[in-house]
């Protein structure tokens, strides 16, 4: 049965889709991977032809997500609290919650974290983690925000993904792995490895 990683945050502009597509591309050398776009706007689905090696599936397939024949399914979610999220969370093995390193951004994840806690009560194997994304260089705010997140009872991942043009453009340049920005590649690979560690811990 496929492992399912869901990328969720009810606020837009935190880089969910960019992380989802780059995670999928990182995994695809070792696993059969599908990227499921549950946003009705279909941002990822509309660029599927730019990634011919990757299976990109539209929102209409989300009801059959457990039946999809892949090793790994990565789910990109809409920038609002969809009524499908509770069910989707219960089907997931890991939920990745990206947030910018700002107080208002962090406050906005509380509703998503509450849904995760509800799902974990029904599915105790479900893991989740928060990743600081689009981090500004030399930002003194980052540590304060990290301390705030640690008080929220959902693990903060060690990896930080910085605000890089190469990452922002990666959905139109074939993914970060095909680019020349070494630090960007390292951050995405570190994030991929850390997510694997969390998922593996669930079956250890």
């Amino acid at each position: 049965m496929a492992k399912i990683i869901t990328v969720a945050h009810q606020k837009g502009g935190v880089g969910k889709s960019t992380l989802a597509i780059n995670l999928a591309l990182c995994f695809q050398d070792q696993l059969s991977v599908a990227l499921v776009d549950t946003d009705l706007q279909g941002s990822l689905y509309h660029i599927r032809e730019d990634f011919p090696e990757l299976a990109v599936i539209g929102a209409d397939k989300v009801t059959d997500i457990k039946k999809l024949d892949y090793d790994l399914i990565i789910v990109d979610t809409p920038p609002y609290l969809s009524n499908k999220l509770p069910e989707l969370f219960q089907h997931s093995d890991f939920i990745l919650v990206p947030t910018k390193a700002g107080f208002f951004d962090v406050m906005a994840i509380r509703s998503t974290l509450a849904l995760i806690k509800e799902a974990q009560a029904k599915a105790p194997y479900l893991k989740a983690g928060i990743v600081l994304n689009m981090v500004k260089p030399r930002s003194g705010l980052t540590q304060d925000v990290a301390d705030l997140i640690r008080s929220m009872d959902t693990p903060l991942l060690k990896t930080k993904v910085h605000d890089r043009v190469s990452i922002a453009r990666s959905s139109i340049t074939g993914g970060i792995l095909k680019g020349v920005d070494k630090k960007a590649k390292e951050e995405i690979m570190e994030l991929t490895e850390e997510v694997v560690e969390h998922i593996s811990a669930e079956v250890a």
Side-chain angles (χ1 to χ4, degrees), residues 23 44-45 52 67 69 73 82 112-113 124 130 166 183 185:
L23 284 173
L44 290 179
Y45 189 67
K67 297 178 182 177
D69 188 20
I73 298 167
S82 163
T112 302
L113 298 185
I130 301 167
S166 60
K183 289 186 177 179
K185 289 182 190 178

Side-chain angles (χ1 to χ4, degrees), residues 26-94:
C26 285
F27 281 114
Q28 72 170 1
D29 283 346
Q30 291 82 31
L31 303 169
S32 61
V33 182
L35 184 60
V36 177
D37 185 359
T38 63
D39 188 347
L40 293 177
Q41 293 182 358
S43 303
L44 290 179
Y45 189 67
H46 290 318
I47 62 169
R48 66 191 184 282
E49 292 178 2
D50 296 331
F51 298 90
E53 72 279 22
L54 189 63
V56 182
I57 298 168
D60 57 323
K61 295 287 187 183
V62 76
T63 53
D64 300 318
I65 196 164
K66 295 296 271 187
K67 297 178 182 177
L68 294 174
D69 188 20
Y70 294 91
D71 298 323
L72 177 68
I73 298 167
I74 297 180
V75 183
D76 186 31
T77 57
Y80 51 84
L81 284 177
S82 163
N83 58 6
K84 292 183 179 178
L85 281 184
E87 181 183 0
L88 189 55
F89 283 2
Q90 285 180 54
H91 286 322
S92 300
D93 295 279
F94 186 82

Side-chain angles (χ1 to χ4, degrees), residues 49-155:
E49 292 178 2
D50 296 331
F51 298 90
E53 72 279 22
L54 189 63
V56 182
I57 298 168
D60 57 323
K61 295 287 187 183
V62 76
T63 53
D64 300 318
I65 196 164
K66 295 296 271 187
K67 297 178 182 177
L68 294 174
D69 188 20
Y70 294 91
D71 298 323
L72 177 68
I73 298 167
I74 297 180
V75 183
D76 186 31
T77 57
Y80 51 84
L81 284 177
S82 163
N83 58 6
K84 292 183 179 178
L85 281 184
E87 181 183 0
L88 189 55
F89 283 2
Q90 285 180 54
H91 286 322
S92 300
D93 295 279
F94 186 82
I95 300 169
L96 180 66
V97 184
T99 182
K100 291 181 179 178
F103 284 114
F104 291 115
D105 296 286
V106 172
M107 290 294 118
I109 67 176
R110 286 180 166 178
S111 299
T112 302
L113 298 185
L115 285 182
I116 291 171
K117 291 299 178 191
E118 290 174 14
Q120 286 174 324
K122 298 174 183 176
Y125 60 83
L126 172 60
K127 299 278 185 171
I130 301 167
V131 61
L132 286 171
N133 192 34
M134 304 168 77
V135 175
K136 300 290 185 187
R138 298 179 297 280
S139 172
L141 187 64
T142 306
Q143 187 57 51
D144 293 334
V145 170
D147 292 340
L148 177 60
I149 291 171
R150 291 189 184 99
S151 72
M152 291 183 166
D153 201 30
T154 295

